[in-house]
Amino acid sequence: MRLVILDDYNLASEWAAKYIRNRIIQFKPSANNFFTLGLPTGSTPYGCYQKLIEYYRCGELSFKFVKTFNMDEYVGLPRAHPESYHSYMWNNFFKYIDIDPANAHILDGNAEDLEAECKSYERKIAEAGGIHLFVGGIGPDGHIAFNEPGSSLVSRTRVKTLAKDTIVANARFFGNDLSKVPTMALTVGVGTVMDAKEVLARKSEPQCGLVMIPLCLKTLSTGMLLMLSPAGEWAFLHEPHLTPIILVTSLPLKARSCRQLDVRLSSLAHDSKVL
């Protein structure tokens, strides 16, 4: 587990983008050896995508041999709708880089058979060799993708009914009209995310209360729990045999306590160094 605390959203976006860039470059992808990246949508990753576009334009990075798998998509929202995640990814990222459209995978929320679409998505991920780096933003209630709190820790890509809090949070993208917000979505599962070789999660919206990060929980005894109090304090539980996890945040927090489960934990001191 690695925690990175930065002063603001822009710095967090740049840190995340540099980390992704470096991971791709270090991998040395080729026509016979693609790097596979899991990607989110929403307000949190926008700045990161802008930096990645900048690296591509400067000749520092290529996505020619990168395959991407997005986390989720609304059910029933036309692909061309400005708030569909297909539109988001192409308008904010894909059309500005050299990725092959055939390698940019996004769930089809208008598929005739949604269950079959979910199974096909899992199969495509497996055929690609799994996800090397899964990037995700953490929602107001701690969800990642559309895995609402209480989602199965071994869940796979599936159809999910959205929680009321999620619908309310997303209403800002639909003119604050709750009736226009889709109530269902296709989403990768917690198990899908945790199968990745590495996970990079970001939190950028101030929140109070208890925040559960479901992607980090294998079981109550072998996982990680982020507890965020109104005073801005947290505690982590983690075991090293789990998927490597990096949490990047620009929240004004301070590390207070760290409990161990029969293993050593890395220091939760401020860390802005990019590997």
Side-chain angles (χ1 to χ4, degrees):
M1 169 68 197
R2 184 178 181 187
L3 174 68
V4 180
I5 308 169
L6 297 163
D7 290 336
D8 58 40
Y9 172 84
N10 290 331
L11 288 176
S13 295
E14 182 176 9
W15 195 100
K18 284 182 178 178
Y19 192 88
I20 295 168
R21 178 198 62 186
N22 292 351
R23 279 289 182 261
I24 294 174
I25 292 173
Q26 292 164 2
F27 187 82
K28 298 179 179 179
S30 66
N32 298 315
N33 189 31
F34 279 73
F35 186 86
T36 308
L37 189 61
L39 295 175
T41 54
S43 57
T44 299
Y46 178 79
C48 175
Y49 290 151
Q50 295 305 298
K51 293 300 296 186
L52 289 173
I53 291 170
E54 180 181 319
Y55 299 149
Y56 163 69
R57 287 175 171 170
C58 291
E60 298 180 26
L61 182 62
S62 171
F63 293 85
K64 185 177 181 180
F65 300 120
V66 173
K67 293 183 179 181
T68 64
F69 287 87
N70 264 75
M71 286 188 152
D72 42 29
E73 177 59 287
Y74 289 118
V75 168
L77 199 65
R79 181 176 297 196
H81 190 285
E83 296 305 331
S84 78
Y85 291 158
H86 278 80
S87 292
Y88 176 97
M89 291 306 301
W90 284 100
N91 292 335
N92 293 302
F93 189 39
F94 290 152
K95 73 178 183 181
Y96 300 106
I97 59 176
D98 61 342
I99 193 167
D100 184 339
N103 293 327
H105 301 90
I106 305 176
L107 285 156
D108 183 0
N110 294 287
E112 183 176 343
D113 187 334
L114 295 178
E115 296 291 345
E117 170 67 10
C118 293
K119 291 179 180 179
S120 174
Y121 206 67
E122 287 282 339
R123 184 168 60 252
K124 290 176 182 177
I125 292 175
E127 290 172 350
I131 305 294
H132 292 104
L133 174 61
F134 225 133
V135 182
I138 301 170
D141 59 1
H143 70 261
I144 188 163
F146 280 123
N147 292 290
E148 307 287 4
S151 293
S152 170
L153 305 180
V154 294
S155 57
R156 314 305 302 187
T157 302
R158 65 205 188 284
V159 183
K160 189 72 175 174
T161 300
L162 304 184
K164 183 62 178 294
D165 287 347
T166 299
I167 294 173
V168 171
N170 288 349
R172 67 187 188 277
F173 301 117
F174 295 85
N176 291 313
D177 186 345
L178 291 178
S179 68
K180 294 181 179 180
V181 184
T183 59
M184 299 180 68
L186 302 184
T187 180
V188 296
V190 180
T192 309
V193 175
M194 289 308 297
D195 277 350
K197 295 177 176 63
E198 191 172 20
V199 175
L200 171 62
R202 286 191 58 197
K203 178 68 177 173
S204 61
E205 297 86 1
Q207 290 293 326
C208 294
L210 179 66
V211 176
M212 301 279 290
I213 305 182
L215 72 93
C216 304
L217 295 172
K218 288 277 185 151
T219 68
L220 290 178
S221 60
T222 56
M224 183 182 78
L225 171 64
L226 170 59
M227 297 178 64
L228 177 60
S229 75
E233 302 163 343
W234 63 71
F236 288 98
L237 302 179
H238 180 250
E239 288 204 23
H241 64 275
L242 303 182
T243 300
I245 297 168
I246 300 172
L247 175 63
V248 181
T249 180
S250 56
L251 296 178
L253 306 177
K254 59 182 180 180
R256 177 178 181 177
S257 62
C258 178
R259 295 173 55 193
Q260 295 188 25
L261 296 175
D262 301 321
V263 295
R264 293 185 303 169
L265 283 172
S266 299
S267 170
L268 298 184
H270 285 46
D271 184 356
S272 58
K273 180 180 179 182
V274 179
L275 294 178

